[in-house]
Amino acid sequence: MAFTLIDLPYDAEAIAPAITAETFSYHHGKHHQAYVDKTNAAIEGTDHADASLEAIIAAARGSNQGLFNNSAQVYNHGFYWHSLTPSTSGPSGDLAAKIDEAFGSLDALQEKLASAGAGHFASGWVWLAEKGGKLSVEETHDADTLVDQGFNPLLTIDLWEHAYYLDHQNARPGYLKAVIEGHLNWDFAADNLARGTAWTYPN
């Protein structure tokens, strides 16, 4: 089956000025679209043609770097769009309790996400994830992903320059602060936690 570029779950202007419509036009409309197109081209006529995106990622890891990079980036970007929201009221319920248990407070988690993201060398992703009932902040480099690594990802933030350069130039910490303090989708994280298994890319 061919994969499609999923729609943004909000209007492209809804997260400005943290992320502007111009950035979304390139990041979603061009970068994510290119990963989708390259993944579809790579699986056409192969044993992967009817597989789920998550199965393709797992099969390609360590054996087909090009397919892995593109399919993982399709997943990561879809997950990232859902990790953002125009406005946030913060976590509650079981998610809030697990954040307090793992990090001490929401403020401490936000500081850890910001520190990990700012300190991450070159391109990649910073994640809030669950494994074995415990929350942690994880980093992946380049196109790498957590979806096939035994984690239940809850939220992710894109650290590639194309995610923020038009709006924040080289000031990645400014982008991270704006997203972490005002636009993380805690409802999406709570849904992922409650489901107990990794989000699947819609198709």
Side-chain angles (χ1 to χ4, degrees):
M1 61 183 170
F3 297 100
T4 58
L5 178 69
I6 63 173
D7 293 334
L8 292 174
Y10 34 74
D11 190 85
E13 290 83 20
I15 297 180
I19 304 171
T20 62
E22 183 181 17
T23 289
F24 277 122
S25 72
Y26 286 99
H27 195 180
H28 175 260
K30 297 186 183 298
H31 287 281
H32 195 184
Q33 182 69 69
Y35 296 130
V36 170
D37 293 343
K38 289 176 182 177
T39 297
N40 286 334
I43 65 173
E44 185 176 2
T46 74
D47 292 342
H48 298 307
D50 294 320
S52 68
L53 183 64
E54 296 75 25
I56 292 169
I57 292 168
R61 182 184 289 277
S63 63
N64 186 333
Q65 194 64 44
L67 178 57
F68 176 79
N69 286 343
N70 284 291
S71 59
Q73 286 290 74
V74 173
Y75 181 91
N76 287 352
H77 280 84
F79 195 91
Y80 173 58
W81 309 137
H82 285 84
S83 294
L84 302 174
T85 186
S87 60
T88 180
S89 58
S92 59
D94 190 35
L95 177 60
K98 286 192 175 294
I99 288 172
D100 288 345
E101 177 185 353
F103 305 103
S105 67
L106 176 60
D107 286 345
L109 168 58
Q110 291 176 323
E111 290 173 8
K112 190 171 182 66
L113 286 168
S115 176
H120 184 93
F121 182 74
S123 301
W125 304 81
V126 61
W127 307 76
L128 175 64
E130 178 267 331
K131 188 175 187 179
K134 296 182 179 180
L135 303 192
S136 62
V137 170
E138 304 291 332
E139 298 175 48
T140 58
H141 288 275
D142 301 322
D144 204 1
T145 184
L146 294 183
V147 67
D148 63 330
Q149 297 297 294
F151 286 92
N152 177 16
L154 305 183
L155 294 170
T156 197
I157 305 171
D158 193 338
L159 303 178
W160 287 63
E161 282 193 340
H162 60 240
Y164 60 86
Y165 208 88
L166 288 177
D167 303 324
H168 302 273
Q169 286 74 55
N170 64 325
R172 185 192 286 174
Y175 154 73
L176 290 167
K177 177 180 174 64
V179 167
I180 291 168
E181 293 183 0
H183 297 289
L184 286 182
N185 188 347
W186 296 108
D187 290 339
F188 179 61
D191 288 345
N192 292 332
L193 179 65
R195 187 177 56 253
T197 58
W199 176 84
T200 56
Y201 190 88
N203 203 51

